[in-house]
Amino acid sequence: METERIIVLGGGPAGSIAALALHRLGFAVTVVAAPRRPAVEGLSERVLEALRRAGCARALDAVGPPVPRRSSWGGQTTVLNREWVVERDRLDAGLLEDLRRAGVPVIEGTATAAEPVGAGWLVTVRGRPDALTADFLVEARGRRAPHRNSSVTRGPAALAVARRFSVPVRQPFTAIAACRDGWAWFGDAGQGWAVLQCVFDTDTLGSEPGLDALHDALVAKLPEAAEWLGPDAVPLNGVTGRDAGATLQDEIITPRMLRVGDAAFAIDPLSGHGMFEAAGGAMAAAPVINTLLRRPEDAALAIEFFETRARGAFLRHARVGRELYALETRWPTAPFWAARQAWPDAEPSHPEPGAARLENRPVVENGMVVRRAVVVSQDQPRGVRFIDGVDLAAVVDLVGQGVTDPEALAARLDQPPAAVRSALAWLRGQGILGD
């Protein structure tokens, strides 16, 4: 049977990780990646682990050492944890090298059109005389990906503006602080330069002309910024801007197309590391696409799995963001803070444990999406299938048959007794097996 051809538009973490995973599943994958403009981000340890699991060694080479992260929030200044500062253009260049080393063809250029034709796709790349054809399209161009405005769920409008500065070589750190009209993130990698990014509400903040003026206006309201930069800081370039609002696309998957990363949903940068969600979504995309193309009779199940995962993650991050904004209590009536402390709803981001139950839900098994019994509860809405490698539904079934001794269960399940005891304890804690 002919190998299905897949085109991935976008060579950032979402597109590259999805392409690598699909390549390992035996698909003929081609990545079209436009040049990445310079930017600086802070990464969490979970992001680094996701890149390691995906086999992105060259990308990891672009990441510097961990640095302490300061927080000035709600009138309190603390050192929270640590962060890794990375230049995104270097990270993305490493990702493309990881793709090439794995044998995935990379076309460096800008896709100007992607049109469905028959049962496949026709992709036009600027500067190439011939269009590319594929059976499936992965849209991974982030917030730049085309979409219909009417089909997007949006949080409060936000713009992030950033400028790079020359600073003395010193101990590296990152920091975050708030003011009445927004908040700022600062990253100093200890290499003689630093980045100061400000986030504000495009609907409520003044009308200063140009990004430079907007950046300067917000920095002037942040007393911490002068301390971060120091007296010798010199701007190295103009201010760059990007959308920083939370967005969720209405159509993120069809039988022949899938959106991943920020092209599917983008989170408020305060609510978490969007790159981690991009990596997780990319890893989930591979078995979904595998199911759509090689087991089309289960297409509805695969689509349900991917849509539920994406929409649930978007809503969870939106609620986490709302709770973090609510911790800043100095300006509760200021438009920037009032809007974010009320969106998207009043539900908690992490509900209290509720009554758990067994339900049949779509899960990934051997590279395909299948329906299996999982334990679902209010705080585990996507369901939990295994604890320490033990199938929870199998435990419940055997206990229902009267097999309650951990040693006997371990023998029947061919699992270590200690792992079975952990599974039993977890199930009892969820109220499924009683006390």
Side-chain angles (χ1 to χ4, degrees):
M1 184 170 59
E2 184 180 352
T3 301
E4 294 88 346
R5 298 159 300 162
I6 299 174
I7 290 179
V8 179
L9 300 181
S16 297
I17 291 174
L20 287 168
L22 290 165
H23 174 72
R24 294 183 187 113
L25 288 171
F27 292 103
V29 185
T30 299
V31 174
V32 179
R36 171 83 193 194
R37 71 179 184 181
V40 176
E41 295 184 23
L43 307 183
S44 70
E45 192 164 8
R46 292 201 308 167
V47 173
L48 302 187
E49 182 56 32
L51 291 170
R52 288 190 192 98
R53 290 200 309 270
C56 300
R58 300 287 76 74
L60 286 167
D61 289 342
V63 181
V67 301
R69 183 170 184 255
R70 307 175 191 171
S71 171
S72 299
W73 207 260
Q76 302 292 322
T77 299
T78 58
V79 176
L80 285 177
N81 41 41
R82 57 184 186 168
E83 230 174 354
W84 284 257
V85 179
V86 65
E87 297 182 75
R88 271 302 303 272
D89 48 333
R90 289 189 60 214
L91 179 77
D92 285 12
L95 288 168
L96 297 186
E97 181 60 23
D98 285 318
L99 289 168
R100 294 187 181 98
R101 289 183 176 223
V104 177
V106 175
I107 298 172
E108 294 196 52
T110 300
T112 56
E115 301 291 339
V117 177
W121 290 84
L122 198 66
V123 175
T124 305
V125 180
R126 183 177 295 132
R128 290 180 65 93
D130 299 323
L132 307 174
T133 59
D135 302 296
F136 197 94
L137 183 77
V138 177
E139 176 57 84
R141 288 177 287 180
R143 293 178 185 264
R144 298 181 295 109
H147 60 80
R148 302 189 308 273
N149 286 329
S150 60
S151 66
V152 181
T153 299
R154 296 185 183 276
L159 181 69
V161 290
R163 170 174 267 168
R164 189 181 296 229
F165 294 83
S166 170
V167 296
V169 176
R170 56 191 177 180
Q171 285 296 112
F173 70 98
T174 66
I176 185 173
C179 70
R180 182 180 182 85
D181 291 326
W183 59 275
W185 176 83
F186 179 80
D188 183 339
Q191 299 174 6
W193 58 265
V195 169
L196 180 56
Q197 175 177 279
C198 302
V199 177
F200 59 87
D201 194 322
T202 53
D203 289 341
T204 61
L205 184 70
S207 58
E208 291 87 350
L211 295 180
D212 287 27
L214 289 171
H215 189 272
D216 292 345
L218 203 56
V219 169
K221 299 173 184 179
L222 278 163
E224 294 87 354
E227 176 191 349
W228 297 341
L229 289 167
D232 301 320
V234 177
L236 290 176
N237 55 10
V239 174
T240 59
R242 64 179 181 87
D243 181 13
T247 59
L248 170 66
Q249 303 298 321
D250 180 54
E251 185 179 73
I252 60 175
I253 181 173
T254 73
R256 290 287 166 174
M257 182 279 300
L258 178 148
R259 287 175 171 264
V260 70
D262 283 359
F265 70 91
I267 63 176
D268 183 310
L270 187 67
S271 70
H273 286 86
M275 197 181 295
F276 177 75
E277 286 298 335
M283 293 302 295
V288 168
I289 296 170
N290 196 29
T291 305
L292 291 173
L293 294 178
R294 293 175 174 167
R295 196 183 288 169
E297 64 272 20
D298 289 334
L301 190 66
I303 290 171
E304 176 191 348
F305 172 81
F306 197 72
E307 284 186 334
T308 300
R309 186 187 188 284
R311 297 183 192 284
F314 174 78
L315 194 55
R316 183 178 67 254
H317 277 287
R319 290 167 175 165
V320 167
R322 181 202 63 215
E323 292 167 5
L324 291 172
Y325 279 112
L327 294 176
E328 180 49 87
T329 58
R330 289 175 288 179
W331 310 284
T333 61
F336 179 89
W337 299 96
R340 286 156 178 78
Q341 291 171 2
W343 183 84
D345 52 32
E347 295 296 320
S349 62
H350 297 88
E352 292 295 323
R357 61 201 180 277
L358 280 176
E359 287 189 7
N360 288 322
R361 293 284 184 88
V363 300
V364 174
E365 181 178 282
N366 299 323
M368 292 282 187
V369 178
V370 298
R371 195 176 291 279
R372 294 287 184 265
V374 298
V375 177
V376 177
S377 65
Q378 190 172 355
D379 60 323
Q380 298 287 349
R382 285 168 50 191
V384 178
R385 187 180 178 193
F386 297 101
I387 293 291
D388 283 355
V390 177
D391 189 320
L392 298 174
V395 173
V396 173
D397 181 58
L398 286 171
V399 170
Q401 296 176 35
V403 183
T404 59
D405 177 69
E407 298 289 338
L409 282 167
R412 294 283 294 272
L413 295 168
D414 194 23
Q415 294 288 337
V420 172
R421 290 190 185 93
S422 295
L424 286 168
W426 189 86
L427 287 166
R428 292 190 180 104
Q430 295 292 316
I432 290 184
L433 297 182
D435 298 328

